[in-house]
Amino acid sequence: QVQLQESGPGLVKPSQTLSLTCTVSGGSISSTTRGNYYWSWIRQHPAKGLEWIGYIYYSGNTHYSPSLRSRVTISVDTFKNQFSLTVSSVTAADTAMYYCAREDSSGYRFDSWGQGTLVTVSS
Amino acid sequence: QSVLTQPPSVSGAPGQRVTISCTGNTSNIGAGYDVHWYQQLPGTAPRLLIFGNNNRPSGVPDRFSGSKTGTSASLAITGLQAEDEADYYCQSYDVSLSRSRVFGGGTKLTVL
């Protein structure tokens, strides 16, 4: 059973860059033996719904939400079995719980989630 | 404003049946893309509850079921239990929004 764990600073100053890492265990990011997966980031504003940010494939191919594309970068390190998220020029509107998740590419469903990490943007 | 529309809240007594609707359009659910449902217990991450409109991952009780017709989908919970009190989200794929994954706004289920 694959497990995901987010890590990174819980507090970021306005206008700076938010950086988070997701470590995958129990399976390889690069493995396609049991299917093709996209490694994704999703966020949840306080007391709000879920917002998809984007994903990366182990090959490095990425796809981002149109609303965040100009500020978001997702990268992968297959040797460390990790993928990362950066969001530039953050504002208070980027304060949220950030989740990493695995998406089954055959059906666009998120079948494994990390526990989430809260990022607060404040000076 | 979420792309998929859900009622903000539903409630039911223990043992009862409740349904949660999820309405999309011809760019997502109506275009034939699958609907998935997630359960988010208080203070925890979402977990996949129903996938591919009406399939349950292993470990999910058969009290939970899903359906889809046209531009809408529904989640039904029978034999309501106190432990079912949670937020529920539907999710699909949207071709008109640059191939985005889209969520509903979430529905808070209260067990009376």
Side-chain angles (χ1 to χ4, degrees), chain A residues 41-45 51-54 63-74 85-91 93-94 96 98, chain B residues 100:
Chain A
W41 288 96
I42 296 162
R43 70 182 183 179
Q44 185 172 31
H45 295 101
E51 179 184 20
W52 175 71
I53 298 172
H63 184 48
Y64 304 127
S65 166
S67 64
L68 293 167
R69 181 176 296 137
S70 63
R71 299 192 296 126
V72 165
T73 301
I74 300 177
L85 169 73
T86 62
V87 182
S88 63
S89 305
V90 297
T91 69
D94 293 306
Y98 285 77
Chain B
S100 289

Side-chain angles (χ1 to χ4, degrees), chain A residues 8-56:
Chain A
L11 181 64
V12 182
K13 288 181 167 49
S15 80
Q16 293 191 343
T17 296
L18 176 163
S19 296
L20 298 174
T21 296
C22 182
T23 301
V24 179
S25 58
S28 170
I29 279 183
S30 307
S31 176
T32 58
T33 305
R34 296 184 179 182
N36 286 307
Y37 298 102
Y38 299 138
W39 302 95
S40 307
W41 288 96
I42 296 162
R43 70 182 183 179
Q44 185 172 31
H45 295 101
K48 298 289 187 182
L50 300 164
E51 179 184 20
W52 175 71
I53 298 172
Y55 71 70
I56 190 163

Side-chain angles (χ1 to χ4, degrees), chain B residues 2 5 13 16 26 35 40 45 49 55 59 93-94 101 103:
Chain B
S2 300
T5 301
Q16 286 190 332
T26 54
V35 177
Q40 186 175 32
L49 190 69
N55 300 286
Y93 175 92
D94 194 295
R101 284 67 172 149
F103 288 93

Side-chain angles (χ1 to χ4, degrees), chain B residues 54-111:
Chain B
N54 56 11
N55 300 286
R56 289 184 307 275
S58 61
V60 174
D62 59 6
R63 301 186 296 104
F64 295 89
S65 63
S67 63
K68 172 190 155 183
T69 179
T71 58
S72 297
S74 289
L75 172 70
I77 310 172
T78 58
L80 206 56
Q81 299 180 5
E83 66 204 48
D84 299 333
E85 187 159 293
D87 293 324
Y88 293 84
Y89 294 89
C90 60
Q91 178 250 318
S92 188
Y93 175 92
D94 194 295
V95 291
S96 71
L97 295 174
S98 190
R99 299 178 290 126
S100 289
R101 284 67 172 149
V102 292
F103 288 93
T107 298
K108 170 67 177 177
L109 168 62
T110 300
V111 181

